């Protein structure tokens, strides 16, 4: 499709010279690196309406359309952040691509209207935890938890704002009302009495990783070794409390506030091991082309949840649990998780926790 094709110039009455356009090789995944979320125009069981509030709230949205005959490939549809349809009158099942582009562009450009919609706002406190929550190239929060939170609270009648927090102060912040909830790959294990919880909505393995050439093969081999963990995290608690008989005595534990420092410490040989969520370690390895080795025996298999203050009487935790059930039943959870992780269904098997 050439915007400067003679017919395109004639039919557009020269408007093609007034509209910015660009060629791009590659796939729509490349648009994500440019800071765009993508909406594939296609009729599927999971497609949402073009006037969906989630689309209007996106600061940079790219609408992806195929040819009038073939439409978009299945690969493109799967890779898109949203799959979108245009509501049609009875008896009308298609529009030509030009009309679809016009309707899509006009209907989805309502960010200001979304901001002024009058929806009550939920402030979500989190820190960077790829692939669950992180900032894209435009500094906009994205990730598994961002997408789930945005969709879940939208269904509950709220807009969502993500607030970066000092993770060590998370309990103080939620109890004071500075944030409404804590959400960001947050393990429920051992913290059940500290908060009102919604979840678990996903399963996570807490694991130990070492350099690929390390002699450490099992948890027992950590005796006399050093390990870096995030402060106030579950691995820190397990190693310092001595409550897990599988963990040897004499492990030198370094508690780090900034999770990303762990990887640098291990890569440079300053510590012998690190402990964190398996998915975040895999994401770091993928993003930075490094080869850590994850020990086969996990530290902990736990559920991820959303924490509200223990004195929060609004009932948001119960409402969110009901919404999680809806998202699971209609396939939205699996669709979101599948954008970031392979074999997404394994991360949604919350009924297997503890078995």
């Amino acid at each position: 499709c050439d915007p400067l094709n003679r017919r395109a110039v004639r039919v557009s009455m020269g408007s093609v010279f007034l509209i910015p356009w660009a060629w791009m090789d590659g796939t729509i995944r490349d648009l994500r690196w440019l800071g765009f979320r993508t909406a594939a125009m296609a009729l599927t069981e999971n497609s949402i309406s073009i006037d969906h509030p989630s689309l209007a709230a996106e600061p940079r949205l790219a609408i992806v359309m195929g040819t009038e005959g073939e439409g978009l490939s299945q690969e493109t549809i799967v890779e898109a952040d949203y799959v979108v349809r245009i509501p049609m009158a009875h008896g009308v099942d298609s529009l030509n691509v030009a009309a679809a582009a016009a309707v899509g562009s006009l209907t989805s450009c309502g960010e200001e209207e979304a901001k002024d919609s009058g929806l009550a706002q939920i402030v979500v406190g989190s820190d960077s935890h790829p692939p669950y929550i992180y900032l894209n190239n435009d500094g906009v929060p994205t990730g598994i938890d961002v997408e789930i939170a945005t969709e879940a609270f939208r269904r509950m009648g709220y807009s969502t704002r993500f607030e970066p927090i000092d993770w060590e102060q998370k309990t103080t912040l939620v109890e004071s009302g500075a944030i409404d909830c804590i959400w960001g790959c947050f393990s429920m294990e051992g913290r059940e009495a500290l908060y009102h919880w919604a979840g678990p909505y996903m399963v996570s393995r807490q694991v130990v990783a070492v350099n690929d050439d390390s002699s450490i093969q099992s948890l027992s081999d950590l005796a006399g070794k050093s390990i870096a963990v995030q402060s106030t995290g579950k691995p820190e608690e397990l190693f310092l409390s001595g409550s897990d008989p599988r963990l040897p005595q004499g492990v030198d534990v370094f508690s780090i506030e900034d999770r990303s420092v762990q990887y640098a410490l291990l890569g440079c040989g300053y510590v012998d091991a690190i402990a964190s969520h398996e998915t975040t370690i895999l994401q770091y390895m993928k993003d930075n082309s490094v080869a850590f080795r994850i020990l086969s025996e996990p530290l902990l298999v736990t559920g991820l949840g959303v924490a509200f203050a223990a004195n929060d009487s609004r009932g948001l935790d119960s409402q969110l649990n009901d919404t999680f059930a809806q998202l699971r039943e209609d396939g939205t959870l699996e669709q979101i998780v599948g954008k970031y992780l392979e074999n997404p269904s394994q991360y949604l098997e919350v009924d297997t926790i503890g078995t």
Side-chain angles (χ1 to χ4, degrees), residues 177-190:
I179 58 176
D180 290 295
C181 63
I182 307 166
W183 195 334
C185 195
F186 196 19
S187 303
M188 299 174 65
E189 178 82 15

Side-chain angles (χ1 to χ4, degrees), residues 93-132:
D93 60 5
S94 67
L95 292 173
N96 66 44
V97 71
V103 173
S105 299
L106 180 62
T107 308
S108 62
C109 62
E111 181 183 2
E112 292 303 317
E113 288 82 351
K115 290 180 179 177
D116 298 330
S117 63
L119 292 179
Q121 187 178 74
I122 294 291
V123 179
V124 177
S126 188
D127 66 350
S128 181
H129 210 143
Y132 294 91

Side-chain angles (χ1 to χ4, degrees), residues 31-297:
L31 288 170
R32 188 173 293 155
W33 290 106
L34 296 174
F36 288 91
R37 302 295 291 281
T38 53
M41 301 286 283
L43 292 174
T44 71
E45 292 182 357
N46 297 321
S47 59
I48 61 176
S49 175
I50 189 65
D51 59 359
H52 196 290
S54 297
L55 302 176
E58 292 291 353
R60 303 185 75 187
L61 182 69
I63 299 175
V64 184
M65 289 167 289
T67 62
E68 292 182 7
E70 299 296 329
L72 293 171
S73 69
Q74 185 60 33
E75 179 183 5
T76 298
I77 294 172
V78 169
E79 289 179 351
D81 295 299
Y82 301 96
V83 183
V84 177
R85 68 180 184 277
I86 296 174
M88 308 290 284
H90 180 68
V92 179
D93 60 5
S94 67
L95 292 173
N96 66 44
V97 71
V103 173
S105 299
L106 180 62
T107 308
S108 62
C109 62
E111 181 183 2
E112 292 303 317
E113 288 82 351
K115 290 180 179 177
D116 298 330
S117 63
L119 292 179
Q121 187 178 74
I122 294 291
V123 179
V124 177
S126 188
D127 66 350
S128 181
H129 210 143
Y132 294 91
I133 180 168
Y134 57 97
L135 299 181
N136 65 15
N137 292 340
D138 284 339
V140 178
T142 191
I144 295 172
D145 284 344
V146 173
E147 293 201 33
I148 295 176
T150 300
E151 176 61 15
F153 283 128
R154 182 199 65 77
R155 295 190 184 193
M156 292 167 57
Y158 296 94
S159 62
T160 312
R161 177 165 65 87
F162 296 89
E163 187 71 26
I165 62 172
D166 179 347
W167 195 247
E168 293 185 357
Q169 301 300 317
K170 56 186 177 293
T171 303
T172 300
L173 291 170
V174 76
E175 288 180 347
S176 69
I179 58 176
D180 290 295
C181 63
I182 307 166
W183 195 334
C185 195
F186 196 19
S187 303
M188 299 174 65
E189 178 82 15
R191 302 185 175 112
E192 291 87 351
L194 298 179
Y195 310 98
H196 286 321
W197 285 97
Y201 61 94
M202 285 182 66
V203 178
S204 180
R205 284 166 35 104
Q206 301 260 13
V207 298
V208 172
V210 297
N211 283 312
D212 196 39
D213 59 355
S214 172
S215 62
I216 298 173
Q217 300 295 327
S218 65
L219 295 178
S220 61
D221 293 335
L222 292 170
K225 305 295 186 181
S226 59
I227 190 168
V229 297
Q230 185 184 21
S231 56
T232 75
K234 287 303 296 183
E236 180 191 55
E237 177 185 328
L238 290 172
F239 278 99
L240 294 181
S241 67
S243 59
D244 190 333
R246 300 173 303 155
L247 302 181
Q249 300 295 316
V251 180
D252 197 3
V253 180
F254 291 86
S255 297
I256 309 297
E257 181 178 352
D258 185 347
R259 183 184 303 104
S260 61
V261 175
Q262 289 179 273
Y263 306 114
L265 292 175
L266 179 59
C268 294
Y270 294 126
V271 295
D272 299 301
I274 59 173
S276 187
H277 292 275
E278 182 177 41
T279 47
T280 61
I281 295 175
L282 292 172
Q283 186 69 41
Y284 179 86
M285 293 166 59
K286 177 182 177 182
D287 291 344
N288 295 276
S289 300
V290 297
F292 298 145
R293 176 166 47 83
I294 295 174
L295 302 189
S296 59
E297 184 179 10

Side-chain angles (χ1 to χ4, degrees), residues 351-355:
D351 293 337
T352 64
I353 297 173
T355 60

